[in-house]
Amino acid sequence: MVPFAGWSLPLHYEQGHLQSHLHTRRHCSLFDVSHMLQVAGSGWGACGRGRHPHCFTPTPGPFQTRVYGRDRVRFMESLVVGDIAELKPGQGTLTLLTNEKGGITDDLIVTNTSEDHLYVVSNAGCADKDLAILRGRAEELQATGSDVHLEVSDNALLALQGPSMARVLQEGLSDDLAKLSFMNSITTTVFGVPGCQVTRCGYTGEDGVEISVPARRAVELAEQLLGVPDVWLAGLAARDSLRLEAGLCLYGNDIDETTTPAEAGLMWTLGKRRRAAMDFPGAAVIMAQLKEKPRRKRVGLTCGHGRRGWCCQPLLTSPCPHVPGTVTSGCPSPSLGKNIAMGYVEAAHSRAGNKLTVEVRKKQHPALITKMPFVPTHYYLAK
């Protein structure tokens, strides 16, 4: 167990990081990601064995933000870059909460539910900040007569990820998972637990779901899923290496309030209508960068073979003393057998195939700028 954004969370279980990572790629793993929605205690305490009912100790539940009212879309679009109005019932999108300087305050998933509200998931380390922004904006709009209000409820969040996810979960659903596409959700009963919101998404690059479940029944549902031999528990170490192989950003490392969507390669999150309207925070800065090109870009890197990792903040140096950028995330890739990383380099150095030198613990190693994702993703699109 390790501290993470104010939480005590499992780094890994008895199988260890490497086997857990590979099992997720080949089979299916269960992650407790309740911290993604929370600003007060929640989660499981582990005895270290990881497959027994007494391994889980539920604590007070998380917070999940729901946005109600006829002006909920206008409210949300005043804060984020995405086209929330175009979302169909049950459809969600990754979007960015931006500041007036164009920086990324957080990356969120916003879903237009079939129950007449928006469902918002934010990062653990940003929960207090995000809720303050949401509440402050809601109060501003309410003062002018707008109909919008927030509700925070205590649900846990479980992520089931991997190629055998659909087979495992389908056994506990009456709904047909084959009809549920990536970034879409349904409210249903899962293995006898009613009122679960199942969203086909995740942070591993594999086909997967995140299940928002009433906190008092989270352990029950977890035990049902772990009763299937194909399902292992997975912790933070596997979650981090899986997301890096998939080329996904970690807030606070790869994106933050000093990073713009253009620099981060996340301009695809801006809807066409929103680009034209320029009605989101930092629009002038972001759209100017799109036109003039940003000075730096997020890139992928590969470096050598073997199992030794590199620290998170080395310098990238060209053959001359010039320093064109920094590494923001890096680790050995269990799937590829080489070191991978992402970071920011000056735009002139950002082309795939360019060779740089990465400084790791005061030693220099050759690195190659590489397209991401490093490992092919397998998001499910219903036919």
Side-chain angles (χ1 to χ4, degrees), residues 212-279:
S212 178
V213 53
R216 68 184 183 280
R217 303 195 69 176
V219 173
E220 174 189 342
L221 178 55
E223 290 173 349
Q224 290 271 8
L225 294 169
L226 290 169
V228 180
D230 221 23
V231 181
W232 288 9
L233 282 165
L236 289 178
R239 180 173 163 82
D240 191 49
S241 55
L242 288 160
R243 70 91 192 170
L244 185 52
E245 286 186 348
L248 301 174
C249 295
L250 176 64
Y251 191 86
N253 282 47
D254 309 305
I255 51 175
D256 59 27
E257 293 188 5
T258 68
T259 311
T260 68
E263 293 171 335
L266 295 174
M267 289 298 289
W268 59 268
T269 62
L270 276 69
K272 183 178 180 180
R273 175 178 60 85
R274 304 302 309 282
R275 295 185 188 206
M278 292 183 63
D279 55 354

Side-chain angles (χ1 to χ4, degrees), residues 147-381:
D147 178 23
V148 61
H149 64 277
L150 310 180
E151 179 182 293
V152 180
S153 63
D154 63 334
N155 268 20
L157 191 66
L158 307 180
L160 191 65
Q161 301 282 303
S164 61
M165 177 281 298
R167 176 180 57 79
V168 170
L169 192 62
Q170 189 62 74
E171 291 297 317
L173 291 181
S174 57
D175 297 89
D176 185 2
L177 266 181
K179 296 180 180 179
L180 189 67
S181 281
F182 179 63
M183 293 305 295
N184 283 261
S185 72
I186 53 173
T187 300
T188 186
T189 297
V190 183
F191 284 98
V193 180
C196 294
Q197 183 165 336
V198 177
T199 305
R200 201 151 197 167
C201 67
Y203 204 47
T204 64
E206 297 295 333
D207 184 22
V209 294
E210 291 184 350
I211 307 169
S212 178
V213 53
R216 68 184 183 280
R217 303 195 69 176
V219 173
E220 174 189 342
L221 178 55
E223 290 173 349
Q224 290 271 8
L225 294 169
L226 290 169
V228 180
D230 221 23
V231 181
W232 288 9
L233 282 165
L236 289 178
R239 180 173 163 82
D240 191 49
S241 55
L242 288 160
R243 70 91 192 170
L244 185 52
E245 286 186 348
L248 301 174
C249 295
L250 176 64
Y251 191 86
N253 282 47
D254 309 305
I255 51 175
D256 59 27
E257 293 188 5
T258 68
T259 311
T260 68
E263 293 171 335
L266 295 174
M267 289 298 289
W268 59 268
T269 62
L270 276 69
K272 183 178 180 180
R273 175 178 60 85
R274 304 302 309 282
R275 295 185 188 206
M278 292 183 63
D279 55 354
F280 51 86
V285 175
I286 294 168
M287 295 310 295
Q289 283 191 347
L290 178 63
K291 182 179 180 180
E292 300 166 6
K293 306 301 180 185
R295 294 180 180 179
R296 62 173 186 157
K297 292 184 179 181
R298 179 172 63 95
V299 297
L301 295 156
T302 54
C303 182
H305 294 271
R307 296 296 176 186
R308 294 192 65 183
W310 41 9
C311 57
C312 290
Q313 300 294 335
L315 298 177
L316 292 172
T317 59
S318 59
C320 63
H322 178 62
V323 179
T326 58
V327 167
T328 54
S329 289
C331 73
S333 165
S335 301
L336 301 177
K338 64 175 70 174
N339 290 321
I340 61 172
M342 67 171 70
Y344 287 84
V345 299
E346 293 173 355
H349 296 268
S350 64
R351 181 174 296 182
N354 279 0
K355 296 179 180 179
L356 298 172
T357 301
V358 60
E359 185 176 289
V360 183
R361 301 183 185 93
K362 298 183 179 180
K363 294 184 179 180
Q364 294 189 348
H365 304 271
L368 184 69
I369 294 184
T370 308
K371 290 183 179 181
M372 294 184 285
F374 299 101
V375 173
T377 56
H378 298 99
Y379 304 124
Y380 176 79
L381 300 176

